[in-house]
Amino acid sequence: MSTNIVNLSKFEPGKLPLEVFNGIAHLTVTPVMELLVISEQTVLLSRRANTDQYWPNQYSIPGSIIYSGGPKSLDEYAGKILARLDINTNANPRLKGIELCSTRRGDEIAIVYRIDIDSIPNLDNHLSFVELKDLSELDIISEHREILQKYLIG
């Protein structure tokens, strides 16, 4: 039996090489933030690349891994996600809940925030606002579908 040993002490806190992160995520519970961006009866979803190792071409809630060396508060993580999405708003994200999810990559603890915005901004090609009534027609990551069902659809 061949084993590859990685000396984790050589890595600085922060984002890890994907192979290392995936190995750790398989063994531990990974903290993540999921940000529900709502405009009237629509929710913002991101479509994963067809090369995504776990969820190719599936829709997901915009979010972030919560990592050592990252933002120092959950509000800062929400702001980081909004900045990455290029959404400018004066609205404040609100904590909606915390969920323990089993995913293809490993278990995650999802901290779910919600922000309601007044108007739909211009978006990158992989982002789209989807009518809540149309969510059932999309190929959404199953754990994200459960979050959408619990916090938006009821």
Side-chain angles (χ1 to χ4, degrees):
M1 172 189 225
S2 170
T3 57
N4 292 328
I5 297 175
V6 176
N7 180 0
L8 296 178
S9 65
K10 72 179 184 175
F11 295 104
E12 293 294 321
K15 293 187 177 181
L16 297 170
L18 186 59
E19 183 177 289
V20 173
F21 169 76
N22 285 339
I24 293 170
H26 176 71
L27 299 172
T28 64
V29 177
T30 304
V32 299
M33 176 179 279
E34 308 296 0
L35 183 60
L36 300 169
V37 180
I38 309 300
S39 181
E40 297 191 17
Q41 291 296 308
T42 64
V43 62
L44 182 64
L45 296 179
S46 174
R47 187 148 195 197
R48 301 276 181 136
N50 63 357
T51 56
D52 188 289
Q53 181 176 352
Y54 295 101
W55 302 284
N57 289 320
Q58 287 189 287
Y59 286 90
S60 63
I61 301 167
S64 176
I65 301 295
I66 298 173
Y67 55 91
S68 179
K72 299 303 178 203
S73 73
L74 294 175
D75 288 342
E76 288 181 29
Y77 269 98
K80 174 184 156 230
I81 296 166
L82 288 169
R84 187 182 73 226
L85 298 171
D86 201 23
I87 294 177
N88 298 309
T89 180
N90 291 327
N92 292 318
R94 299 178 320 277
L95 177 65
K96 296 305 289 181
I98 299 173
E99 302 293 326
L100 184 60
C101 306
S102 292
T103 77
R104 291 179 190 159
R105 181 174 56 211
D107 290 344
E108 296 180 351
I109 188 151
I111 301 167
V112 182
Y113 267 64
R114 175 181 172 149
I115 188 166
D116 291 86
I117 60 174
D118 294 328
S119 61
I120 296 177
N122 293 327
L123 301 170
D124 288 340
N125 289 338
H126 71 286
L127 297 168
S128 57
F129 275 91
V130 177
E131 296 278 340
L132 297 180
K133 64 180 179 57
D134 296 334
L135 290 174
S136 63
E137 300 172 20
L138 298 178
D139 184 15
I140 300 172
I141 295 171
S142 63
E143 300 79 29
H144 289 205
R145 182 178 298 284
E146 291 170 12
I147 290 170
L148 291 166
Q149 181 71 33
K150 181 172 184 175
Y151 293 102
L152 296 181
I153 301 168

